[in-house]
Amino acid sequence: MEIGTIGAGAFAQGFAKRALKAGHKVKLSNRRGPDSLREIVNQLGSGATAAAKEEAAACEMVLLAVPWDNVPETLASLPEWNNQILIDGTNPFHGQDGDFTPADVGNLSTSQLVAALAPGARVVKALNNMIVSNLEADPIVNGARRVVFISADDDGAKKRVQTLLEGFGYSVIDLGNLRDGGLIQQAGGPLAGRNLLEQGERHK
Ligand SMILES: NC(=O)c1ccc[n+]([C@@H]2O[C@H](COP(=O)([O-])OP(=O)(O)OC[C@H]3O[C@@H](n4cnc5c(N)ncnc54)[C@H](OP(=O)(O)O)[C@@H]3O)[C@@H](O)[C@H]2O)c1
C-alpha cells in the first residue's frame, strides 16, 4: 500500500520507517514542499518519496502528523477528502519542541475535532501514544509486542488501520468510537503516553 504523510517531522519519519519495513511505500509531505525533503527520503531509502501535500493526501491511507496548533490551517489547505482513511496521530499540545501545554478542545475528543475539519475523510485515531523512540524501536520486546490503541467511528477504516499496525508488529487495542475511545487515548486520558507490552497470544 502507498501511505501519505501530512507533516514529515520526527513522528512521520518514525512512522515511515515502520511502514517501509513492513513493505509499504510512503509519500511524505510537509509545509515547505518536496524539495526540502530530498535528504530525508534518501535516508529513509527505497519506497519513500517526497510529495506535495495534496499528492500525499490523495493516498488511500494518510497520516496526519503536524503540531496541534497547525491542524486547522493544514486541513483547510488540503483538497476535499474522498473517503481516504486519515490516521490522526496528533496530540493536543500548544507549541513545539517539548512544550506540553495542553490545548483546550472543548466538548469534543480531539479526533472528533479533526474529523469535523476533514469532512469526507474516514478518521482513525492511532499511534499518538507512541513516542518516536518507541516507534523507531523494535515492536517486539523480549517476545512481547508493543501496544497501540485505535478508535474510529468507521469500523471498516478502523479494521484496515488495525491490520496495518498488526503488520508493523504491534498488538492493537480497539477502544471504540472517536468520542469514547478518543477521550481515553488522547492526551489527558488514562492511556495517554502509555508504553505497554502484550506478552503471548491473546485469548479471545
Ligand atoms: N514526536 C513524538 O514523539 C510524537 C509522538 C506521537 C505523536 N506526535 C504528534 O505528531 C505530530 C507531529 O509531531 P512531530 O514531533 O513530528 O513534529 P515536528 O517534528 O515539529 O514536525 C512537524 C511537521 O509538520 C509539518 N507542518 C506544519 N504545518 C504544516 C502545514 N500547514 N502543512 C503541512 N505540513 C505542516 C512541518 O513541516 P515544515 O517542516 O515544512 O514546517 C513538519 O514536517 C504532533 O501533533 C505530535 O503531538 C508526536
Side-chain angles (χ1 to χ4, degrees), residues 3-94:
I3 306 167
T5 75
I6 308 299
F11 180 59
Q13 290 175 43
F15 172 87
K17 287 176 191 163
R18 285 265 75 80
L20 292 166
K21 267 211 170 85
H24 302 287
K25 292 183 174 170
V26 183
K27 261 187 195 172
L28 294 109
S29 77
N30 65 1
R31 182 167 36 186
R32 287 165 296 148
D35 283 346
S36 65
L37 290 170
R38 299 281 170 227
E39 203 181 315
I40 286 167
V41 294
N42 281 344
Q43 278 171 5
L44 287 169
S46 173
T49 49
K53 57 185 169 181
E54 295 77 7
E55 217 184 318
C59 291
E60 58 180 307
M61 218 179 259
V62 181
L63 176 75
L64 181 63
V66 301
W68 182 253
D69 288 337
N70 298 34
V71 166
E73 69 175 57
T74 304
L75 292 174
S77 73
L78 296 174
E80 275 182 25
W81 294 88
N82 188 19
N83 278 325
Q84 300 97 309
I85 293 174
L86 180 60
I87 303 173
D88 173 20
T90 62
N91 283 310
F93 298 117
H94 289 307

Side-chain angles (χ1 to χ4, degrees), residues 44-153:
L44 287 169
S46 173
T49 49
K53 57 185 169 181
E54 295 77 7
E55 217 184 318
C59 291
E60 58 180 307
M61 218 179 259
V62 181
L63 176 75
L64 181 63
V66 301
W68 182 253
D69 288 337
N70 298 34
V71 166
E73 69 175 57
T74 304
L75 292 174
S77 73
L78 296 174
E80 275 182 25
W81 294 88
N82 188 19
N83 278 325
Q84 300 97 309
I85 293 174
L86 180 60
I87 303 173
D88 173 20
T90 62
N91 283 310
F93 298 117
H94 289 307
Q96 289 183 47
D97 298 329
D99 177 357
F100 291 122
T101 310
D104 180 3
V105 290
N107 271 333
L108 298 176
S109 73
T110 60
S111 283
Q112 284 182 300
L113 198 58
V114 167
L117 294 171
R122 301 156 77 198
V123 175
V124 179
K125 181 81 182 169
L127 289 170
N128 64 298
N129 70 311
M130 274 280 168
I131 58 167
V132 170
S133 52
N134 287 339
L135 196 53
E136 292 189 338
D138 197 327
I140 313 288
V141 184
N142 299 327
R145 286 172 298 151
R146 289 186 197 279
V147 170
V148 293
F149 309 107
I150 53 171
S151 317
D153 292 339

